[in-house]
């Protein structure tokens, strides 16, 4: 077994970069849509054979066992080569919670199936009345013998129609004194009569989001992860690390590259007003990258991340939106055209980038919520 953490950062980056550059399929690079598993199964099998499906998992559970510094390098190289996220909810979300809070039996059963994608997972958190304020969730689970009986609705469930299982936050004690209490984390099979999935078509014409309805759906009580009514604390344990990656600079950097490609091909840099506006968003991208590097250095030193990490998500998503808005303006009458616009030898899908940018300030905790976190926890302002 290779000890990647014993390698120098430079050597590790070189190895990861070479693998993604030479092995990752060209047709999958920088996809504008979230692919179904069948589309990327051949790539997943290659990663699984190499042991690179779960870079953050401990080696004893089939992961690469990377420390924070190596993990950042791994993700940065994935982003550099346009490696699609794929069906990674199992690896990124439920797997780490099972490793941290699950029983030995749960680890032995679920973790190998996550790595192989024998089970494909989606996340059942958000509800129509509980999005950014997730503690308002109302989907309930009642114990009936040795099973939970689940009723309620989840929404914005990414790729639920291509999943075999869903990990859920559900209300198991409706009488708990605080709304964050009385919430549990359970694992539920999707292939049963009490689960109905309906796709949601986005402005871009994609169907990656779904709503999921539960009508007396069932799951064994042994699929409770952690303690009953303690699911909120568990789910929160992943958020600070997640916000580093959701705030990574590649989102804005890639969009800026698309804008530059289009603008040069269309002759927009001849306009001094456009040059000024391009310089403004380019500086925003550079400033954000410097801030990201600061938080990345904290992780590399093994230091915990504070509430100020919320700045990353706010900055990168709003910069992303500004760039795509400028791209639409630069395209003029062609800005509303579906599909790539041809400029020279390149094709730039201006409208797809604009649509992709719209929800980024909402998912992962809306920017309004992130600003509230900063005002209270960082600036000490009253709530």
């Amino acid at each position: 077994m290779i000890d990647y953490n014993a390698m120098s950062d430079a050597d590790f980056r070189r190895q990861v970069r070479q693998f993604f550059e030479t092995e990752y399929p060209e047709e999958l690079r920088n996809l504008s849509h979230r692919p179904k598993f069948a589309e990327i199964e051949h790539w997943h099998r290659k990663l699984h054979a190499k042991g690179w499906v779960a870079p953050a998992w401990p080696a004893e559970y089939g992961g690469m066992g990377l420390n924070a510094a190596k993990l950042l390098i791994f993700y940065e190289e994935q982003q550099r080569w346009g490696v699609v996220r794929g069906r990674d909810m199992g690896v990124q979300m439920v797997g780490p919670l099972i490793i941290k809070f699950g029983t030995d039996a749960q680890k032995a059963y679920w973790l190998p199936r996550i790595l192989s994608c024998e089970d494909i997972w989606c996340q059942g958190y958000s509800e129509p009345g509980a999005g950014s304020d997730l503690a308002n969730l109302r989907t309930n689970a009642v114990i009936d013998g040795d099973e939970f009986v689940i009723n309620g609705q989840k929404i914005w469930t990414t790729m639920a129609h291509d999943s075999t299982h869903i990990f859920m936050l559900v209300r198991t004690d409706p009488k708990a004194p605080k709304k964050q209490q009385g919430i549990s984390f359970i694992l539920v099979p999707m292939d049963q009569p009490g689960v109905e999935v309906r796709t949601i078509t986005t402005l871009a014409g994609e169907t990656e989001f779904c709503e999921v309805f539960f009508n007396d759906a069932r799951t064994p009580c042994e699929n409770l992860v952690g303690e009953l009514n303690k699911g909120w604390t568990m789910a929160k344990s992943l958020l600070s690390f997640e916000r580093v990656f959701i705030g990574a600079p590649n989102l804005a950097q890639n969009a800026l590259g698309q804008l530059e490609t289009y603008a040069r091909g269309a002759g927009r840099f001849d306009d001094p007003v456009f040059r000024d506006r391009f310089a403004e968003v380019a500086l925003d991208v550079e400033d954000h990258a410097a801030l990201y590097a600061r938080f990345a250095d904290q992780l590399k030193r093994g230091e915990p991340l504070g509430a100020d990490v919320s700045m990353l998500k706010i900055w990168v998503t709003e910069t992303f939106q500004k760039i795509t808005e400028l791209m639409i303006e630069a395209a003029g009458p062609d800005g509303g055209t579906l599909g790539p616009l041809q400029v020279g030898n390149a094709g730039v899908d201006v409208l797809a980038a604009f649509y992709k940018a719209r929800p980024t300030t909402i998912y992962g905790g809306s920017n309004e919520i992130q600003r509230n976190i900063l005002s209270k926890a960082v600036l000490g302002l009253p709530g």
Side-chain angles (χ1 to χ4, degrees), residues 76-282:
E76 285 167 0
E77 291 303 317
Q78 278 190 322
Q79 292 159 6
R80 177 191 299 273
W81 298 105
V83 178
V84 69
R85 279 187 57 184
R87 303 309 319 281
D88 62 355
M89 285 290 186
V91 169
Q92 298 284 11
M93 301 294 288
V94 70
L97 285 174
I98 291 173
I99 288 171
K100 187 171 183 178
F101 299 102
T103 64
D104 289 342
Q106 287 173 333
K107 294 172 188 176
Y109 179 77
W110 293 111
L111 296 181
R113 297 167 67 94
I114 291 172
L115 291 174
S116 68
C117 266
E118 182 175 352
D119 297 330
I120 301 175
W121 292 85
C122 59
Q123 179 192 66
Y125 282 10
S126 295
E127 299 183 5
S132 295
D133 193 5
L134 185 58
N136 280 330
L137 65 86
R138 292 183 294 177
T139 296
N140 67 83
V142 177
I143 295 177
D144 179 25
D146 59 356
E147 293 182 313
F148 286 104
V149 180
I150 307 152
N151 286 279
Q153 177 188 357
K154 297 295 181 178
I155 200 165
W156 309 124
T157 310
T158 303
M159 302 302 287
H161 59 310
D162 190 43
S163 300
T164 62
H165 291 74
I166 182 170
F167 57 95
M168 302 175 62
L169 288 177
V170 293
R171 193 161 296 283
T172 45
D173 182 3
K175 297 181 180 180
K178 294 182 179 180
K179 62 184 182 181
Q180 290 86 357
Q181 299 172 349
I183 293 174
S184 298
F185 188 96
I186 60 175
L187 313 176
V188 181
M190 300 282 282
D191 185 18
Q192 59 170 301
V195 178
E196 179 186 358
V197 178
R198 301 177 190 170
T199 58
I200 300 171
T201 303
T202 67
L203 283 171
E206 303 292 346
T207 55
E208 66 180 71
F209 297 120
C210 303
E211 49 186 342
V212 187
F213 297 87
F214 300 89
N215 183 17
D216 289 339
R218 290 177 174 266
T219 195
C221 288
E222 64 189 28
N223 286 351
L224 168 73
V225 181
E227 297 181 51
L228 188 69
N229 301 323
K230 301 293 185 182
W232 181 256
T233 302
M234 289 170 47
K236 282 203 318 180
S237 69
L238 292 177
L239 287 181
S240 64
F241 204 68
E242 181 189 25
R243 282 183 183 139
V244 171
F245 296 107
I246 205 171
N250 69 295
L251 195 65
Q253 289 171 341
N254 291 344
L256 187 69
Q258 287 183 298
L259 174 58
E260 183 174 6
T261 297
Y262 180 82
R264 292 199 182 282
R268 296 294 183 262
F269 282 105
D270 295 337
D271 179 358
V273 175
F274 176 83
R275 290 201 303 271
D276 284 348
R277 295 184 65 190
F278 181 88
E280 180 182 341
V281 292

Side-chain angles (χ1 to χ4, degrees), residues 251-252 255 315-324 353 356-357 360:
L251 195 65
W315 198 332
V316 75
T317 55
E318 294 182 4
T319 300
F320 181 30
Q321 288 187 347
K322 284 197 293 184
I323 292 169
T324 60
K356 182 180 179 181
T360 58

Side-chain angles (χ1 to χ4, degrees), residues 296-308:
D297 284 343
Q298 280 185 248
L299 284 177
K300 291 174 183 177
R301 294 192 297 268
E303 298 173 4
L305 297 174
D308 54 345

